[in-house]
């Protein structure tokens, strides 16, 4: 890549005017067109470069410039922050040239482009999963790459985004609680309109799927709160069982986070749950 950028910078003076660009567009001299595309790329004029390269990647198939033109097209879109299109061309490159001279860079930038295009946690995270998959494939194909650490850090960042998505969902369930405060009890002890079970399931899955998340304490306290609230709102036949589950969750939290900022709240939950279980068995 450094080589063609250097060539582009040296030849940049030949492709400066608007009139010259129109001349390049109309030309059927594809070698001339290719040198122009490299020149525009080297000067950061990526829109002009992509227009030329879009035409050239088909024409140059099977030639010595085919690989370079396809990779350069991906980088031109990447530098324009059109990350979806860039990732498409990087993927096309490494599928077409699995042992090409730009294959490592293409696999890396295919993943990084998707990483840069992922949405904030409240939105659909399909693209986040795709970015993780692409970066994991890069690390599998190039385990000794100097870009491995950067790829791993991007994966961690993406996983944190997925954890935040789960946390926000669990928190929403918890905040919804029981609908309108008019919940009715069911035969198995659940409460119609009760979202605490959904909160518990979502929080437990997040802790299982991402055991090393930096948000583990926040998810764990939400899980304890939800179990406690579910216990307090259960029918009599289910209340003792769920209060005991709350106590078990208390011990798990206390063991993992002995110096938590939530200790006062945690101790109060434990005292109330223990008091109920003790009174029931006296």
């Amino acid at each position: 890549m450094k080589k063609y950028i250097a060539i582009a910078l040296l030849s940049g003076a030949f492709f400066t005017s608007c009139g010259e660009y129109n001349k390049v567009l109309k030309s059927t001299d594809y070698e001339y067109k290719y040198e122009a595309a490299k020149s525009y790329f080297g000067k950061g004029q990526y829109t002009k470069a992509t227009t030329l390269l879009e035409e050239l990647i088909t024409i140059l198939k099977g030639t010595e410039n085919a690989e370079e033109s396809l990779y350069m097209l991906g980088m031109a879109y990447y530098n324009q922050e059109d990350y979806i299109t860039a990732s498409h061309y990087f993927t096309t490159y490494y599928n077409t040239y699995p042992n090409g001279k730009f294959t490592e860079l293409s696999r890396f930038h295919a993943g990084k482009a998707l990483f840069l295009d992922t949405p904030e946690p409240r939105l659909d995270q399909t693209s986040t999963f795709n970015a993780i998959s692409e970066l994991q494939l890069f690390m599998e194909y190039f385990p000794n790459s100097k870009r491995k650490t950067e790829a791993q850090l991007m994966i961690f960042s993406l996983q944190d985004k997925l954890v935040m998505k789960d946390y926000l969902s669990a928190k929403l369930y918890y905040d919804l609680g029981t609908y309108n405060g008019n919940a009715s009890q069911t035969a198995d002890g659940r409460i119609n309109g009760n979202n605490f079970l959904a909160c518990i399931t979502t929080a437990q899955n997040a802790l299982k799927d991402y055991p090393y998340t930096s948000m583990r304490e926040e998810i764990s306290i939400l899980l304890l709160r939800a179990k406690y609230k579910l216990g307090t709102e259960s029918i009599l036949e289910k209340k003792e069982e769920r209060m005991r589950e709350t106590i078990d969750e208390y011990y798990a939290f206390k063991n993992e986070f002995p110096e938590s900022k939530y200790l006062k709240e945690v101790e109060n939950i434990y005292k109330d749950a223990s008091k109920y279980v003790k009174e029931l068995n006296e």
Side-chain angles (χ1 to χ4, degrees):
M1 182 177 175
K2 289 182 179 179
K3 181 180 177 181
Y4 68 67
I5 290 177
I7 294 173
L9 290 172
L10 288 172
S11 59
F14 295 103
F15 305 104
T16 54
S17 69
C18 182
E20 185 64 34
Y21 178 62
N22 288 331
K23 179 182 176 182
V24 172
L25 286 175
K26 296 175 182 178
S27 176
T28 57
D29 184 342
Y30 297 116
E31 185 62 30
Y32 169 73
K33 236 173 191 178
Y34 182 60
E35 291 302 321
K38 291 200 294 184
S39 174
Y40 290 129
F41 181 93
K43 291 183 295 183
Q45 296 178 349
Y46 301 119
T47 300
K48 291 180 178 179
T50 53
T51 300
L52 295 174
L53 289 167
E54 286 279 8
E55 176 188 3
L56 289 168
I57 58 170
T58 300
I59 295 168
L60 294 175
K61 277 184 178 180
T63 72
E64 61 180 10
N65 294 323
E67 288 189 44
E68 188 176 67
S69 63
L70 185 54
Y71 176 71
M72 187 161 47
L73 180 57
M75 285 304 303
Y77 278 115
Y78 180 89
N79 290 330
Q80 291 180 86
E81 299 182 5
D82 184 347
Y83 296 123
I84 296 301
T85 305
S87 185
H88 164 73
Y89 281 113
F90 289 135
T91 303
T92 301
Y93 178 93
Y94 70 66
N95 284 328
T96 306
Y97 307 105
N99 298 307
K101 57 185 175 180
F102 301 111
T103 300
E104 178 180 342
L105 288 169
S106 290
R107 280 196 174 275
F108 175 76
H109 282 108
K112 188 170 183 178
L114 293 178
F115 166 79
L116 292 170
D117 194 65
T118 53
E120 58 102 359
R122 293 181 185 276
L123 301 177
D124 178 74
Q125 294 300 306
T126 300
S127 60
T128 301
F129 285 107
N130 292 338
I132 290 174
S133 177
E134 195 69 53
L135 289 166
Q136 287 175 333
L137 284 172
F138 164 73
M139 293 175 64
E140 289 177 16
Y141 276 94
F142 300 98
N144 299 316
S145 173
K146 64 181 181 180
R147 297 172 179 81
K148 179 180 178 180
T149 298
E150 184 179 355
Q152 186 67 72
L153 290 174
M154 284 190 283
I155 290 173
F156 288 154
S157 177
L158 292 167
Q159 288 177 338
D160 282 344
K161 187 172 287 191
L162 295 177
V163 172
M164 177 58 76
K165 172 78 171 179
D166 286 348
Y167 171 77
L168 292 173
S169 296
K171 183 68 164 56
L172 178 61
Y173 285 129
Y174 181 85
D175 291 341
L176 286 172
T178 54
Y179 301 132
N180 301 320
N182 296 318
S184 60
Q185 297 170 336
T186 62
D188 64 355
R190 291 183 294 125
I191 299 177
N192 290 329
N194 188 312
N195 290 283
F196 296 123
L197 279 170
C199 174
I200 291 167
T201 299
T202 303
Q204 287 176 330
N205 287 339
L207 293 173
K208 179 182 177 182
D209 293 341
Y210 309 104
Y212 305 111
T213 175
S214 59
M215 292 192 63
R216 190 170 179 84
E217 183 177 358
E218 298 300 321
I219 298 172
S220 295
I221 187 62
L222 186 61
L223 177 59
L224 176 59
R225 289 168 180 162
K227 285 194 172 184
Y228 173 65
K229 289 292 290 183
L230 181 64
T232 60
E233 297 192 16
S234 292
I235 59 173
L236 185 61
E237 288 81 356
K238 287 286 183 179
K239 194 164 188 177
E240 180 182 4
E241 174 190 346
R242 287 174 174 165
M243 284 301 191
R244 289 187 183 278
E245 290 175 357
T246 300
I247 293 170
D248 290 342
E249 196 63 45
Y250 157 81
Y251 282 118
F253 184 94
K254 188 77 177 292
N255 288 335
E256 186 169 359
F257 308 103
E259 298 180 2
S260 173
K261 62 183 178 182
Y262 300 111
L263 280 185
K264 184 176 180 180
E265 177 187 358
V266 167
E267 293 297 342
N268 287 335
I269 289 175
Y270 170 73
K271 289 177 182 176
D272 189 61
S274 297
K275 180 181 177 182
Y276 177 83
V277 172
K278 181 179 179 181
E279 290 177 349
L280 192 66
N281 289 278
E282 285 181 347

